[in-house]
Amino acid sequence: MTNMFKGKLFGIMIPLIAIGFGFLAGGIIMLISGNNPITGYVALIQGIFGDIYYFGETLQRMTPLIFSGLAVAFAFRTGLLNIGVEGQLIVGWFVSVLVGIVIEAPMIIHLPLAILGGALAGALWGFVPGVLKARFQVHEVIVTIMMNYIAMHVVNHFIRNYMLESGQRTAFINDSASLSSDYLSAITDFSRLHWGFLIAIAACFLMWFILWKTKKGFELRSVGYNKHASSYAGMNVNLNIILSMSVSGAFAGVGGAMVGLGTYNYANILPGFTNLGFDGIAVALLGSSTSIGIFLSAFLFGGLKEGANNMQGQAGVAPELVEIIIALIIFFVASSYLIRWIYSRVQSKKEGK
Amino acid sequence: MDMTLQILYTIVPAALIAATPLLLTAMGGLFSERSGIVNIGLEGLMVMGAFAGIVGTLFFESLGFGFASPWMGILVAIVLGAIFSLFHAVASISLRADQIVSGVALNFLAVGLTVFIVREVFDKGQTDTISARIFRINVPFLSDIPIIGPMFFSRVYLTTYIAFALAILVWYVVFKTPFGLRLRSVGEHPMAADTMGIKVNRMRYIGVMLSGAFGGMGGAVYAITTAGNFAGGTITGQGFMALAALIFGKWHPFGAMGAAVFFGFAQALSISAQQIPGLENVPQVYMLILPYVLTILALAGFVGKAEPPKALNQPYEKGSR
Amino acid sequence: ACGEGDEDTTPVNDGGNNNENETAEGNNEAAGDDEGFSSKMVTDTGGVDDRSFNESAWAGLTAFGEDYPEADVDYIQSNDASDYAPNLNRLAREGTDITFAIGFLMEDDIRTVAQQNEDQQFAIVDTVVMGDDDEPVSNIANITFAEHEGSFLVGVVAAMHTETNEVGFIGGVESPLIKKFENGFKAGVKYVDSDIEVNVQYAQDFNDASRGQQIADTMYAGGADIIYHAAGGTGNGLFTEAIDRARNGENVWAIGVDQDQALTEGEWDEGNVILTSMVKRVDEAVYQVSEDTMNGNFPGGEILEFGLEDDGVGIAETRDNVSDEAIEAVEDYEEMIINGEIDVPETDEEYEDFQSSL
Amino acid sequence: MEYVIEMNNIRKEFPGIVANDNITLQVKQGEIHALLGENGAGKSTLMNVLFGLYQPEKGEIKVRGKKVEVTDPNVANDLGIGMVHQHFMLVQTFTVTENIILGSEPVNKGTIDHRKAVKDVADISDRYGLKVDPNAKIEDISVGMQQRVEILKTLYRGANILIFDEPTAALTPQEIKELIQIMKNLINEGKSIILITHKLKEIMQVCDRCTVIRRGKGIGTVDVADSTENSLAEMMVGREVSFEVEKEAAKPKDNVLSIKDLHVEDARGIGVVNGLNLNVKAGEIIGVAGVDGNGQTELIEAITGLRQAKSGTINVSGKDITAFKPRKVTEAGVGHIPQDRHKHGLVLEFTVGENILLQTYYQKPYTKNGVLNYPKMYEKARELIEEYDVRTPNEKTMARSLSGGNQQKAIIAREVDRSPDLLIAAQPTRGLDVGAIEFIHRKLIEERDKGRAVLLVSLELDEVLNVSDRIAVIYEGEIVEIVNAKETDEKELGLLMAGGKKEAGEPK
Ligand SMILES: Nc1ncnc2c1ncn2[C@@H]1O[C@H](COP(=O)(O)OP(=O)(O)OP(=O)(O)O)[C@@H](O)[C@H]1O
Ligand SMILES: Nc1ncnc2c1ncn2[C@@H]1O[C@H](COP(=O)(O)OP(=O)(O)OP(=O)(O)O)[C@@H](O)[C@H]1O
Ligand SMILES: [Mg+2]
Ligand SMILES: [Mg+2]
């Protein structure tokens, strides 16, 4: 019993220690490159918490990251690596905005419809690699990589040829489909924080519920761990693979809808990937594919990215430092063996005394 | 007929040039994955290679090495790529990190670190442009052969031939030498290899570092021949395409070679299509997504299931069962 | 450290809040006061050293800072599109006297931020920001350039230098802005000789040198001997290809964009493949708007178009490869454009009309 | 007395467990020395220490009287120690030759000298009578052949002390016979052997001496000539054990399973079940005896719905289940103890409780409206854990951390508890110790007595003979003969399994 508790505690300790190491390394890099780490980190933290506006922006920023993290984690639990979250998010963004522009309806219908549109588009984008994996055993990693590019080019094509409004974007969506919130914006001093943040929290809960509390979730996890035993136990492995990729895609698609309906209220021609999907991989990993973990790591990443700008402005530290810190944190989390080893060393020394 | 040939004379060399960095990097991936270590970090290794290649070239240029500089830049990239890959190696081999996680981290780290250094060194977001370049050449005699000459031996980079020669060398090393046999055994059944006295982790370190060397070379070749300088956006997705080529090619050097050429060809076609009679009116989006759609169709249609090395993505712990 | 941090930000915070309640005039005066004048910019994702308009804008600010040492100049770089709004906000909150948004991608973000901070002064490069009433937003100065006019001139140069009677244009991502480059260039070429063919292709990417190289390869192979690009980093591929062909003894040229690119690119052991460049003086514009604002003449709500007349666009200083004849012609046409004798087209429709009028 | 191997007072710990606690093992030159112990007693661990895969915490190892440090398998190889592991250490995608030469390849100008390698392999295989095809891929050859490759690997390296860790667990009777002959040949060639096996009969047959360990502690070493199966078993488990499976005569009733003219193809599309007919009645155990690879696996897969039959019909309790998917087969009243418990039987990363509910999680009361009721699930799991004596800390323990025997008990609990009309048990006791085997055999007979039809597929003739009422002999995908278990013996079965009256041949 105590052992189990220890294990759980450790599960929380490791990311924390990794984060500590990450920042330590970041500090060293600042020192080497001739910056003052204390000034740097103070600026970073101020850039997150120093102003309610920044804090609101951090929450806004973490909203799509939560979804892309959930998407990666959901597929991961079923033994699939969904690198296609980026593309699923892009089509979700586009379709939700399309619904937001084209349809006129009262908010109570329109907004859910637009989000659903994003979910369905993302689900479709996940469905394709799912089917190919299930039906032809095609490696999902390649297909999802390819689907990312297809998503970007197809969406750009549609915007450019049919929906271009000004500059590189579509028209604004109708207010009835917008997640933007005057209230949330007002309490955070005009930040772009929107209702999507609450939807993201609900989504965390939803994923936890699906995976751990439902029959389907049981099957998905079972298939993820052992396909053979699952089909022996009467589960339809192929169907579960397709379902998993589709649901994962739907999470990503809703993430896109958050950007389209909440942050920007339009879609624009993408000159390159948004990276929101790729960041989702890191978020899911740091959050060890659990709902709470994803929420917290999305906050960390969102905060770091928000704060990086302030670090640049106030302390003159190149914002790439934050990327380095994020990378190192992931390394340390992944190498938890090292942390365990150090911990056991410290522990045995203590016992020796 | 003549028109078709004219088009082929443009597209085939373009395809080979586009295939070159992919092929080199895929060979790197092959070493790593054949030893049992997934390498999603190929992208990051290419970034590192592109950075090192350009900075190295600039450095040797400034020392007055002239047209030897880019070649020395490539050497720098090979070495730095191998060193940088140690991050992935230490994490995923010695520290038993999840290999996918570690690879993803490597990608983040490469972009962050290189751009950070570029800022520190050049005081801006990209390096200067190199002036000593590797240029296209016409191969003496061979380029005069009708049809084949203009397609395969005219206006090509030496690096392309080197890449293809290396792929053959890789095949030889992996399938004909004791080293190759041991490397593959470590990727298939590390415990079996261990009982045969093969140092599993050492082989895996070598595999990953070779992937760093090749990935670094791939990135450097791209940066030096095509981009001319280095910035955060110099390498955008080529590493992932190389990984796709590796899987597409079923972890075999020649398979990966075929896949890389295929990608190169699709890309070249998509770019040149607008200027090819008959294709110029096809909406550009079709051409843009062509390489990716073709890849998916090929995988679903005729390539079929690819069997990865059995121990791929599994850390080796002595005595674990 | 935490408490210290709080104290640091509080004044800024308060300032922001107070501003909201104060009247516009009150703030305008405050701008020139004790703290000194500050002029800062937010880059787009290209960064302050993109060898394009970000870099140019920063050069303008730097020059301004040098000429007026008491003025505070600075920039914030945006790492991705989602940084625009917070960065603009950040500067606005710091009480920056004029905040520049570099690039039309920031159009929507600056609109929102400007509307939220009505007593702050902003400027944007490359686009016009309209408010809800379809009028330009009153606290944003809109800096635009007559890229089509400058492109017309390099089109003239190209037309006069081509030996194959075929030239090319490589665009980055297709958009109204880049269309101005394309149509101006085409108009210039056709105006000189309507038989010259202009090959146009968009890479749909501002950052893919290999794509740029292959497009250039295909164009050159197809017979074009001069190619103009408005494609950012993708254009580097054009230069690579041009150098390569020049080394092989081919007589090909490239035309640069935004800055005098012959200074940084295009060089090879026997010369430079850059025929000329279409420069866009973002630096001048930024300098001028900063200066005006400091002197109390903030051109808020105005649409400033920097054209040939104001030296806002034009052909580059480096003219080693351009024939005297072409330079003369350029000078003539420049005058005709300034006089209004030639109306250079910006959009595809205008170009159609222009072409049929030839 | 000259010992080739002396392991003195070896102690080896794993986190939380002492696998070897002060064990001493002494092996004489030229003997076959048995190492006996229950599952998890520490046999494999001890041998891995000797082979250099593990480093002991305490104790010394002497080889031919000289103290040595076996730091890794290379050292063991150099000392002439070779090991055939419990779980084969073969690279499936490599050829026989490649597996054998791995690590000490003959080289010619930097290239593997393949021709020489093949010749060397052929030479040794001739010399010791170990027939193999040097160019065949491991994945294409039979288990028996794979074992020979394992032995050849050690001989190729010039081993003269061979460790066999449960070499017979996966072999057919014919292959076992051949292996015993091979071991005798090796002794004649001057080698020494350490043999780990759970089969007392084999110890009695070939071994000179036997060392027994129990729960990590050495119990003692005895001369086999002075021992009986019973005395060894007692030493091993510390109490008396009975081998005879006690059971009353079967009282068969109606047909539960009837298979008519069944044809099934394997993964490569080759017909492996060819017109098979078989009936199993309620209240009887039918044992399927046969050499591995004669269609047993595919037959079971076809019945349980894991593989689609080509033609023919399968009936269970009057229902035609031929085209059913696994779930429907299960619901039609079929229970299945799969032969590979790690691959098919368990989701190792799930808890024991979840595994116990793996076939029924979706039914009421465990699922309502698509939502799981974990308290109910774990309540059920606790009941079964209790009833079937699954030794686990609790129902929320990961299945992976259970020993093989307890994993098997969990599967049996799951399958038997559903009271299926037909219970299929495939190799249910593979690799288990006598205690566990006894338990499982008793369970099967209990089920029979409750009126279930039991189909037992096993490669162990002893098991088939002891547990079944009737024995169906399968050969090349057909049932060639059904005999009464009481009226037959190993010899007759052996002949039938080899395809009639002919001498048993090499399985494909
Ligand atoms: N790699 C390992 N990690 C942790 N514990 C282990 C490991 N290997 C063995 N053990 C422990 O050592 C004990 C002895 O295991 P070992 O495999 O030697 O048993 P065995 O006698 O060979 O059993 P079997 O007859 O089932 O093969 C086991 O009970 C197990 O708890
Ligand atoms: N990786 C592991 N980590 C911790 N404990 C383990 C591990 N593997 C095995 N064990 C422990 O080893 C004990 C015996 O397991 P072992 O696998 O030796 O059983 P077994 O009966 O020999 O099964 P099999 O014959 O299938 O190998 C179990 O009680 C288990 O607690
Ligand atoms: Mg065991
Ligand atoms: Mg064992």
Side-chain angles (χ1 to χ4, degrees), chain C residues 220 224-227 241-246 249-254 272-274:
Chain C
Y220 284 133
D225 59 351
I226 301 172
I227 302 175
E241 182 63 25
I243 294 173
D244 213 295
R245 284 182 179 256
E250 288 181 46
N251 194 16
V252 295
W253 296 102
N272 196 310
V273 291
I274 296 184

Side-chain angles (χ1 to χ4, degrees), chain D residues 43-44 86 165-166 196:
Chain D
K43 309 177 294 290
S44 301
Q86 183 170 4
D165 192 352
E166 291 192 44
I196 300 178

Side-chain angles (χ1 to χ4, degrees), chain B residues 119 124-127 133 271, chain C residues 49 51 77 201-202 240:
Chain B
R119 268 190 211 294
K124 55 185 178 178
Q126 73 257 318
T127 66
R133 306 286 278 260
I271 292 170
Chain C
D49 38 33
R51 305 194 192 177
Q77 180 185 330
Q201 186 165 351
Y202 281 83
T240 306

Side-chain angles (χ1 to χ4, degrees), chain B residues 321, chain D residues 39-40 86-87 166 341-342 400-405 431-432:
Chain B
R321 293 175 287 181
Chain D
N39 291 129
Q86 183 170 4
H87 306 282
E166 291 192 44
R341 55 178 166 264
H342 286 175
R400 180 179 290 287
S401 64
L402 261 55
S403 78
L432 301 189

Side-chain angles (χ1 to χ4, degrees), chain A residues 272-287:
Chain A
F273 288 126
T274 66
N275 281 332
L276 288 170
F278 297 122
D279 288 347
I281 301 174
V283 169
L285 297 173
L286 183 60

Side-chain angles (χ1 to χ4, degrees), chain A residues 124 126-138 143 238 241-243 245-246:
Chain A
L124 174 73
F127 175 80
V128 173
V131 167
L132 292 175
K133 169 93 180 179
R135 180 79 183 71
F136 303 104
Q137 281 95 45
V138 184
V143 180
N238 284 344
I241 287 176
I242 298 172
L243 185 75
M245 281 304 285
S246 304

Side-chain angles (χ1 to χ4, degrees), chain D residues 201 244-245 247 287-289 441 456 458 460-471 483-494:
Chain D
K201 214 170 62 186
E244 279 306 303
V245 185
K247 59 172 184 187
V288 174
H441 287 170
L456 168 69
S458 175
E460 310 264 353
L461 277 191
D462 277 350
E463 179 167 80
V464 175
L465 278 165
N466 273 331
V467 180
S468 320
D469 300 310
R470 294 191 295 152
I471 299 173
V483 294
N484 203 319
K486 289 226 179 67
E487 296 157 10
T488 186
D489 57 23
E490 224 168 285
K491 202 168 150 213
E492 188 192 18
L493 285 179

